Amino acid sequence: MRKAFRFEGDMLSSSVVKAALAWARKGGKIVVLHGIDDDGQCTCGRADCKSSGKHPVAELFPKGQHSATSSAAKIRRAFKKYSRANFGVILSPGLVVLDVDGPKGAETFKKLNLPPTLSVRTGRGTHYYFRATVALPKKKAHLPGIDIKDNASGYLVGAPSMHKCGRRYRVRRGKTPVATLPADFVQSLAVTGTRTARFDAGAAFKAGGRNNELTKIAGSLRFRGLTETAIAGALQAINAAACSPPLDVDEVEGIASSVARYDAGHENAFGWLGEVEESEPQFLAYPYIVKGAITVLDGNMGQGKSTFTCAVAAAVTTGEPPPFVDEIEQGTVLFMSAEDDPSRVLKPRLMKAGADVSKVRYQDELFTLDERGLALVRRELTANTPALVIIDPIIAFMQEGANGNNAAETMHFMMELDQLARDFDTAILIVRHLRKARADHVMHQGIGSIAISARVRSGLILAPHPDDSRRRAIVHAKSNYSETGPAIVFEMQSEGPRTHPKIVWHPCDKELTAAELLAPPEAERGRPSKERDTATAWLESVLRKGPVRKKVLDGMADANGITMATLRRAGDTLGIVKSKDGKASVWALP
């Protein structure tokens, strides 16, 4: 049973940041909003701001309410940068607020005869808090001067935020508890039935249904882009011709005014660039790993990619930056690894790197990032918004049956992944294997379509250092949001044959280029084809999950554009173990 909601502790604090953090602990999601300066203006800097002190800081919450977070670290960082900010809260489930605005709203609320409940004084009215034991209807009847807020209807400005009138939102203290919203009131909110206006039928709208019908017509007109004045004129004409008896002129004006506050149908899809608030790119580890975007790490198998990603993850959990960056964002990490066992590999490797493993989440169920998989990840990011997500290797998570060499299919997959990074303002680091066949560009050297390289905002390539094969170097081959960083250099040192290696960092190499790092030895000849490289990586990712019947593999390979001859060559490259299950041939990794 859900515990009864109550205002307590820091929710009553005069500190905006303390109140926001308390709301997050109570299950609310927080959006940091621009505040009000000493001159009564919105801190966004626009003199004509129409939502002073109430709109999100776009730099930190680019998707508005969809960027809302319960991460204490992110909330603190936002208030540290914007000390005069307000905050909005998306209510926790089961909580409903009636936002009563001005005298008209107060008059409407009085007529509802709802039980006394805890309230918050706002700049122009009152927020009345209720508990809801039944779900509110998706479409609600219009209440003049009142907006109804729950966890599915956007954010509410929280106390003690500053209103543009110079007065703070304030919880009205006392012994009044949060009352339960009466079930009959909730039922009365439901908009039932659909009627078509017939202006030739005399009085089409009778008493009891006039407000509802006019509101629906106003909504349709607003969707088509009409302004408040145009909507009001149309409603007054319809009111006179079709309502029996006609509504009061002021009441019709109120319907037009209320509906005109909503966005027109096209306004969510397009916008004016001049109204966009500029923001600078953010980095998890400048300039190598970008926040709110995807970074790719390319490298051959067995060269230390996973060891390096664990070292970065360890630094994120502790907040102690590795030597190649000045600072690193502290937070939690989500590992999605198709290759590393969590008990025998992942946790020991992270502990060797000095990680706080209590801040690391991992993927316990193997799944690909199809529609279901992306939904699972979105729910995970909503519940535990990490600073860093590591996907290793990316080809193992592509939707089964998708062709990793098809640019259109791969671009769609990468766009879905990039949207997750944007929505949750998190850094996603994907890992790829390198192909041995030479590509026309270093960023095309990774397995799969060039659409992967095109979509990432930062590209890293790992390989043995050309001057010392014991060392590894990571060159910064692509950087959309900054200058490229110098090559990262490290060495993996093991304390014994059964222990995981530890990274020893060396000074960065400012002269090393990607071309030098990937240059093959002069004696190298007979390199395998691009098709075989792709097929080998694909076959390895499939068989990592366990043995597969050859007939099933043949069908999967054909769906991915891999010929039977290329599949056989890929099997030879991997040293596939072939066995029998009855009469069926079975392939497995060594």
Side-chain angles (χ1 to χ4, degrees), residues 369-388:
L369 292 175
D370 53 13
E371 184 176 352
R372 172 182 176 271
L374 287 166
L376 287 173
V377 175
R378 181 171 288 277
R379 286 199 290 270
E380 170 64 21
L381 298 188
T382 300
N384 301 291
T385 310
L388 174 64

Side-chain angles (χ1 to χ4, degrees), residues 492-511:
M492 294 182 292
Q493 293 185 354
S494 179
E495 298 173 354
R498 296 191 178 184
T499 62
H500 291 277
K502 180 180 180 180
I503 281 188
V504 176
W505 302 105
H506 292 280
C508 289
D509 189 335
K510 298 181 179 179
E511 306 298 326

